[in-house]
Amino acid sequence: MPITDLSELVDELLSGTRPLPIIPAGVPVLRQPALPYEGQLPADQLDRLLAAMREAMHSAPGVGLAAPQIGVPLRLAVIEDPAEVTAEVREARGRVPQPYRVLVNPVYEAVGDGRAAFFEGCLSIPGWQAVVSRPDRIRLRGQDVSGRELDEEFTGWPARIVQHETDHLDGVLYLDLAETRSLSSAQAVSDYWSQPTPAAAARSLDFPLRTAADDDSGNGNDNRGATAP
């Protein structure tokens, strides 16, 4: 897409409904690799776009949002998680507060072979959740909003959020990597599977919990537009 078209697309988006509507699964932009961000937008327009993405993320509510989810095919994402959960959930999921961050051109790789499996949702697939096994420690590289190079490690739930959002930028949805037998409505998760881990769900719904020790499937990278279960 030419730079002028991208700028016009963002202008049109920002002049429309607020909070920005989130694109649902089935729309092609969610299945196409996003373009690397290389300064296609003027600085003030980029700032306004990111502010609008943060607003949409809060409104949904969610803990991450990728630009393709609002129809912009650029490798940009925002993440933020107050992690207002119980101590038991915090311990089981490694869910700690994640301050507001802008990720520009993010890529990640697993660090070690540890994995963790938890229910996950997506703002582009409202009303449903499924268990996804992901690396529990990752190395993130990319840039921040000022262009500063990023090279840092994430663990626990922050690592899951980063993976989820980065996957969106590659045209991947969390359901592509989920245990399909775990697919549950949000109401069912609330009624039956609100425990800190999905162990009870795995027994009752008959799906495996993939870990480094027992995962022979090669079911690797997971990164998606995340909502908090």
Side-chain angles (χ1 to χ4, degrees):
M1 179 177 291
I3 292 176
T4 54
D5 288 353
L6 277 170
S7 185
E8 290 170 3
L9 170 65
V10 171
D11 264 344
E12 181 178 355
L13 190 66
L14 294 177
S15 66
T17 303
R18 300 289 285 271
L20 299 178
I22 294 174
I23 300 294
V27 178
V29 68
L30 291 179
R31 288 309 202 173
Q32 298 162 353
L35 300 170
Y37 183 72
E38 299 173 339
Q40 292 97 327
L41 306 178
D44 65 324
Q45 189 182 49
L46 175 63
D47 288 345
R48 289 187 292 117
L49 174 64
L50 294 170
M53 288 173 60
R54 187 183 188 189
E55 176 189 35
M57 174 180 65
H58 287 169
S59 178
V63 296
L65 188 71
Q69 290 182 278
I70 47 98
V72 177
L74 289 171
R75 292 189 70 85
L76 301 169
V78 295
I79 62 175
E80 185 175 12
D81 184 12
E84 295 172 344
V85 295
T86 65
E88 187 179 15
V89 168
R90 182 177 297 109
E91 177 67 22
R93 302 181 188 177
R95 187 164 182 182
V96 296
Q98 176 61 51
Y100 174 66
R101 299 279 301 268
V102 175
L103 305 181
V104 180
N105 299 323
V107 295
Y108 72 85
E109 60 186 11
V111 176
D113 60 1
R115 300 185 71 82
F118 292 104
F119 274 102
E120 194 167 314
C122 180
L123 299 180
S124 291
I125 311 172
W128 297 92
Q129 295 181 30
V131 172
V132 180
S133 173
R134 296 184 177 278
D136 62 5
R137 179 181 294 269
I138 62 164
R139 179 184 182 187
L140 168 71
R141 285 177 285 186
Q143 297 86 44
D144 66 13
V145 68
S146 68
R148 181 177 64 90
E149 292 296 321
L150 301 177
D151 188 343
E152 56 189 284
E153 290 190 5
F154 288 77
T155 61
W157 208 261
R160 181 170 294 267
I161 295 171
V162 169
Q163 291 173 76
H164 184 120
E165 298 309 328
T166 304
D167 278 350
H168 267 304
L169 305 179
D170 295 324
V172 176
L173 299 178
Y174 84 97
L175 286 178
D176 299 334
L177 302 171
E179 297 292 346
T180 55
R181 289 184 67 90
S182 73
L183 183 64
S184 304
S185 69
Q187 187 63 55
V189 172
S190 177
D191 290 345
Y192 296 99
W193 315 127
S194 59
Q195 303 89 352
T197 77
R203 291 191 297 270
S204 295
L205 302 179
D206 191 23
F207 63 87
L209 291 179
R210 308 290 182 182
T211 69
D214 64 16
D215 183 7
D216 297 322
S217 68
N219 186 16
N221 279 0
D222 311 329
N223 342 50
R224 285 124 263 269
T227 64

